[in-house]
Amino acid sequence: MDLMGMMGKLKETQNKIEETKKRLDSVLVEEQSSDGLLQVTLTANRKIKTLTIDDALLEDKEQLEDYMVLVLNKAIEKASKINEAELDAVAKMDMPMIPGMDNLFK
């Protein structure tokens, strides 16, 4: 078993994961309410970039709150799926098979 080779591969994988995380800052996910009155854009790292609220929603605080919860949760779910898929792909592609380490990136 080439321990030095595996350690080098592990470091390389960690670097690729960090690069992927940085790249995901530029991957934008958009979501909106069904009527288009509320729109949100966030990165695949789940950071909100823009939030657009139509004036019609400013009349009804309760409706606005409901819309925000619904739309933000849908956007976060989309971003999370992209984030996990990208990071899983990097981890699986480069990870040496080390017994007991298969849960490291979950």
Side-chain angles (χ1 to χ4, degrees):
M1 191 152 113
D2 178 13
L3 193 56
M4 290 304 287
M6 282 197 301
M7 293 306 286
K9 191 83 168 149
L10 186 60
K11 183 73 178 154
E12 190 179 310
T13 300
Q14 286 173 329
N15 289 342
K16 284 185 180 178
I17 287 172
E18 288 308 311
E19 287 170 16
T20 301
K21 284 181 181 176
K22 283 181 191 155
R23 187 175 54 77
L24 289 173
D25 276 333
S26 64
V27 175
L28 299 180
V29 175
E30 294 180 356
E31 186 62 57
Q32 66 179 359
S33 57
S34 56
D35 56 14
L37 296 180
L38 184 106
Q39 300 169 342
V40 65
T41 303
L42 49 114
T43 70
N45 281 327
R46 299 174 291 267
K47 300 275 188 258
I48 296 172
K49 299 297 269 180
T50 64
L51 184 61
T52 307
I53 302 168
D54 190 276
D55 288 346
L57 287 174
L58 300 178
E59 312 283 317
D60 186 344
K61 181 177 184 284
E62 205 169 288
Q63 183 185 13
L64 174 58
E65 290 169 347
D66 290 345
Y67 270 46
M68 289 188 72
V69 168
L70 185 72
V71 174
L72 286 170
N73 280 332
K74 282 171 66 177
I76 290 167
E77 187 179 329
K78 266 189 194 175
S80 293
K81 283 181 182 172
I82 293 168
N83 187 291
E84 289 165 19
E86 291 283 329
L87 292 176
D88 279 355
V90 172
K92 286 180 182 146
M93 177 177 62
D94 290 321
M95 200 58 206
M97 295 313 296
I98 302 171
M101 291 190 70
D102 49 350
N103 291 324
L104 186 66
F105 294 103
K106 290 190 175 165

